[in-house]
Amino acid sequence: MKDAYKKMRKGDEHLISLIYRPITEPIAKLLFKTSITPNQITTLGIIVALISGIFFSFGEYKYLLIGAILSQVTLILDLLDGQIARYKNIRTVFGRWYDQLANKIMKYLMLLGATIGAYKISNNPLILIIGAIAIFNIITISFISNIRLFYDKFRGYHELPKPKKFFIPFGMLSTTLITIAALFNKIDWLLWFFAVVGTLGWIKQIYSHYKLGNIKEKL
C-alpha cells in the first residue's frame, strides 16, 4: 500500500489533495480491505451533491450551512475514489471517465440548487438568469477543456499558469467557492462571479485555441 501511495503522489499532487490528505488517507486505509469500489464512491459523490443542491435550494441560511458541509463531503469523495483505485490497483479507462463526468454533474447540481435558493431569498427573477448564465459558463469551460484532449496541439494546454509542483483543479476550486459563498451567505455574489468571470473565461479559451491552432492541416 505504501508503494501505491508513493506512486499516486508522484506527479499527481495538487493543492486540494494536500489540504484534505489528513482526512482522506485514514478513510482510504479503512476501505482498502473492503469490497467497496472507486465507482461506488464516485456514485455516492453524485448522490451527496444532489442532496447538497437540495439544501441549497431551500435558501435559508441554516440549510446553506448543511449544503456547504455536504459540498465538502463531495470533495472528500472525489479525492477518495482516485486513492482507492490506486491503492487497489484497479484503475480503468471507464473509471477515469466516470470520475470526470461525476465531477461536472456534482458542480451543476449544487449550482442549480444554489440558484434556486438565491432566487427564493431575493425574489428577483434576474437571479435565475444570472444562475443560468453561470451554469452555462461552467459547462462551456469544462467542455472546451475536455475536447482539447482529442487534439495533440491542444493537449496539456492550460489557460492559467500551472505551477510545477502544485496546482488547483478547476472543478474542485469551483466546489470550494460554492462552500465559501454558502458559509458567508453570499450565493448571489458567487453566481455573479461565475456569470461574469466565467463568460470571460470561455471567450479567452476560444481565443487562445484560435491562436494556438490557427495553422493549416496537411491534406
Side-chain angles (χ1 to χ4, degrees):
M1 186 172 178
K2 288 183 178 180
D3 292 338
Y5 175 63
K6 290 179 180 178
K7 186 176 181 181
M8 177 192 72
R9 289 182 58 185
K10 186 177 180 181
D12 193 34
E13 189 77 288
H14 53 70
L15 189 57
I16 302 296
S17 66
L18 182 66
I19 294 172
Y20 285 86
R21 187 188 300 157
I23 300 175
T24 58
E25 278 186 23
I27 299 175
K29 290 177 180 178
L30 288 174
L31 298 179
F32 177 65
K33 295 182 179 180
T34 70
S35 60
I36 294 176
T37 67
N39 290 340
Q40 290 173 339
I41 296 175
T42 302
T43 302
L44 179 60
I46 296 176
I47 296 173
V48 174
L50 173 61
I51 298 173
S52 175
I54 291 174
F55 276 105
F56 282 146
S57 70
F58 294 149
E60 295 181 33
Y61 184 62
K62 60 182 179 181
Y63 296 123
L64 291 182
L65 291 179
I66 298 175
I69 293 172
L70 292 176
S71 69
Q72 288 299 293
V73 174
T74 67
L75 269 183
I76 293 172
L77 293 173
D78 188 17
L79 293 168
L80 194 59
D81 58 6
Q83 285 183 318
I84 294 298
R86 290 175 176 88
Y87 285 160
K88 294 188 175 185
N89 194 25
I90 52 175
R91 288 176 291 178
T92 63
V93 174
F94 172 79
R96 185 176 180 183
W97 172 84
Y98 184 45
D99 179 53
Q100 293 182 357
L101 176 66
N103 291 343
K104 295 167 180 54
I105 292 175
M106 288 188 285
K107 291 198 301 289
Y108 307 152
L109 290 173
M110 289 186 287
L111 271 178
L112 177 60
T115 299
I116 296 173
Y119 169 69
K120 287 182 178 179
I121 294 174
S122 65
N123 289 319
N124 184 356
L126 179 62
I127 289 294
L128 294 177
I129 298 174
I130 296 301
I133 294 173
I135 294 173
F136 170 81
N137 289 341
I138 296 296
I139 292 175
T140 304
I141 290 173
S142 298
F143 176 74
I144 294 174
S145 298
N146 282 347
I147 62 173
R148 72 162 59 116
L149 299 176
F150 294 97
Y151 300 91
D152 293 336
K153 187 69 176 178
F154 300 147
R155 190 177 290 122
Y157 175 76
H158 295 273
E159 293 294 324
L160 299 176
K162 183 179 178 181
K164 293 182 179 180
K165 191 172 183 181
F166 298 114
F167 68 98
I168 302 178
F170 173 73
M172 292 184 173
L173 175 61
S174 301
T175 302
T176 301
L177 292 177
I178 293 172
T179 302
I180 295 173
L183 289 175
F184 287 94
N185 200 15
K186 297 295 182 182
I187 292 294
D188 54 338
W189 289 16
L190 176 76
L191 297 177
W192 275 101
F193 174 80
F194 280 137
V196 175
V197 177
T199 300
L200 297 176
W202 62 258
I203 291 176
K204 174 62 166 56
Q205 280 182 309
I206 293 176
Y207 177 70
S208 297
H209 285 69
Y210 170 77
K211 291 182 62 179
L212 191 65
N214 192 27
I215 55 176
K216 292 183 178 180
E217 292 184 290
K218 294 181 180 181
L219 300 178

